[in-house]
Amino acid sequence: MSASNVLILCWLGLAALSTLTVVLGSAGSTLRIAAGVLAVALVKAWLISDGFMELRHAPPAWRLLLLGWPLAMASGILLALLG
């Protein structure tokens, strides 16, 4: 698969996930929906780092750092919503 095809697929995935975020956001205000929105955000962060930034070829430490931050933020938000 060529690099331009990968980028197009990443873009389509991000567009679909953004639409899903809007649909979830307009569905109501529960902890389960908030967790869903945060899960979609984590998938989007993974698509951006591995797809657009091409970190799928980078050392594992860089990938862990770039995906660890959104995971830490989503965990913090969920903990704040629980408390």
Side-chain angles (χ1 to χ4, degrees):
M1 186 179 298
S2 69
S4 62
N5 287 341
V6 170
L7 291 176
I8 290 170
L9 288 175
C10 287
W11 182 84
L12 289 172
L14 287 171
L17 290 169
S18 295
T19 303
L20 180 60
T21 302
V22 171
V23 169
L24 285 173
S26 64
S29 178
T30 66
L31 183 60
R32 187 172 291 179
I33 291 173
V37 169
L38 290 171
V40 170
L42 288 173
V43 174
K44 286 171 67 174
W46 172 75
L47 265 177
I48 290 168
S49 65
D50 272 8
F52 284 111
M53 297 174 72
E54 295 187 8
L55 284 180
R56 63 185 171 275
H57 306 296
W62 282 107
R63 293 179 77 191
L64 181 65
L65 283 171
L66 248 60
L67 291 175
W69 179 250
L71 182 61
M73 293 302 296
S75 300
I77 291 170
L78 278 177
L79 286 174
L81 289 174
L82 286 172

